[in-house]
Amino acid sequence: MLTIAVSKGRIYEDALPLLEEAGITPIDDPKKSRKLILRTSRDDVQLVIIRATDVPTFVEYGAADMGIAGKDVLLEHGAENLYEPLDLGIAACRLMTATPVDAAELSGRIRVATKYVKTAQRYFADIGVQAEIIKLYGSMELAPLVGLADCIVDLVDTGNTLKANGLEARELITHITSRLVVNKAAMKMKHQAIQSLLDQFEITLAKR
Ligand SMILES: Nc1ncnc2c1ncn2[C@@H]1O[C@H](COP(=O)(O)OP(=O)(O)OP(=O)(O)O)[C@@H](O)[C@H]1O
Ligand SMILES: O=P(O)(O)OC[C@H]1O[C@H](OP(=O)(O)OP(=O)(O)O)[C@H](O)[C@@H]1O
């Protein structure tokens, strides 16, 4: 049995066509079902539905053989204990800093609200800015509006969320897409099954 970890929502929606091209069609729809393990049209493949941030953990420990995770999540979690063989190009966005539209140039010691604590720490250290990082779990855009932070580090796609809150993107930290990650032991023990899936994904991606 090959177990693939995916998160509900945009990664699942974007991954579905790729999985289907590889002959893997989930039997239940995670939007309708409360099941966390989804059988598929292939007897030897199942999906586990977990939070996006938990995908590296499940794969690292071998609870899933492989998974699909955003590069943002992998950067924050650390991916040393995983293989990351394929950029799937899905759920594309950018990790950026953002401030209120009328904010002055950031200087001195700044406060930054984000859920990407380690990535933000690394980024501000690299550019030589002293930053106090405040960990939030969501609604980062609110932080500068209520005086909690000078700046946020968050994902930006259309920019609509920033705009709706009077913020604007400043610096690009990195481009983000979702990656296929594979457990290191599984890559050896289930090599043939995993490699053939990788090959199939690559064929599908090459056609896009
Ligand atoms: N606006 C966006 N456009 C494109 N891709 C995005 C966007 N927001 C997030 N992503 C990517 O999709 C991944 C999953 O995001 P999603 O919003 O589905 O879950 P989440 O809200 O981060 O996690 P959870 O719901 O578990 O808290 C992110 O890790 C990122 O790689
Ligand atoms: O630039 P945009 O197109 O507006 O996208 C950016 C938003 O998308 C993500 O949130 P998401 O939609 O996943 O909602 P969430 O806060 O529930 O994660 C991200 O955290 C931003 O808030």
Side-chain angles (χ1 to χ4, degrees):
M1 178 64 81
L2 208 57
T3 301
I4 307 175
V6 257
S7 55
K8 250 200 281 208
R10 56 169 59 84
I11 290 190
Y12 183 85
E13 300 303 325
D14 286 3
L16 209 50
L18 280 173
L19 291 167
E20 289 193 336
E21 286 270 354
I24 301 166
T25 304
I27 287 167
D28 292 293
D29 177 354
K31 282 203 293 283
K32 295 186 190 134
S33 165
R34 300 288 298 168
K35 281 187 188 166
L36 299 175
I37 300 180
L38 303 186
R39 305 270 321 280
T40 73
S41 50
R42 269 178 58 172
D43 282 345
D44 61 336
V45 179
Q46 63 182 8
L47 306 185
V48 289
I49 305 296
I50 56 182
R51 295 291 291 263
T53 43
D54 289 334
V55 170
T57 307
F58 273 68
V59 176
E60 208 171 81
Y61 283 91
D65 300 303
M66 55 207 290
I68 300 176
K71 186 68 183 174
D72 51 322
V73 167
L74 296 172
L75 284 171
E76 189 63 18
H77 179 92
E80 306 77 36
N81 301 320
L82 298 165
Y83 290 125
E84 193 188 308
L86 206 53
D87 182 346
L88 300 173
I90 60 174
C93 53
R94 290 155 291 153
L95 186 66
M96 303 199 68
T97 63
T99 64
V101 174
D102 52 8
E105 195 70 18
L106 296 175
S107 61
R109 188 176 166 81
I110 61 166
R111 283 207 307 217
V112 181
T114 187
K115 65 175 171 184
Y116 302 102
V117 171
K118 289 187 194 158
T119 311
Q121 251 152 7
R122 267 197 303 268
Y123 170 73
F124 286 107
D126 282 353
I127 62 166
V129 169
Q130 277 195 49
E132 179 188 345
I133 313 289
I134 300 172
K135 165 89 186 182
L136 294 180
Y137 293 85
S139 302
M140 265 80 78
E141 295 83 5
L142 188 60
L145 309 181
V146 294
L148 180 59
D150 305 297
C151 162
I152 64 169
V153 167
D154 197 9
L155 300 173
V156 181
D157 179 20
T158 60
N160 289 343
T161 309
L162 292 180
K163 198 167 171 213
N165 292 292
L167 305 182
E168 66 186 6
R170 301 274 168 176
E171 303 296 327
L172 173 70
I173 300 179
T174 182
H175 287 279
I176 301 290
T177 45
S178 289
R179 313 300 166 100
L180 196 73
V181 288
V182 180
N183 173 269
K184 288 192 170 174
M187 190 67 124
K188 292 199 190 85
M189 309 291 286
K190 303 185 181 180
H191 186 262
Q192 214 180 346
I194 291 174
Q195 192 57 53
S196 80
L197 209 51
L198 284 174
D199 292 344
Q200 185 56 57
F201 286 153
E202 278 190 291
I203 291 168
T204 307
L205 293 173
K207 284 194 244 161
R208 288 188 169 179

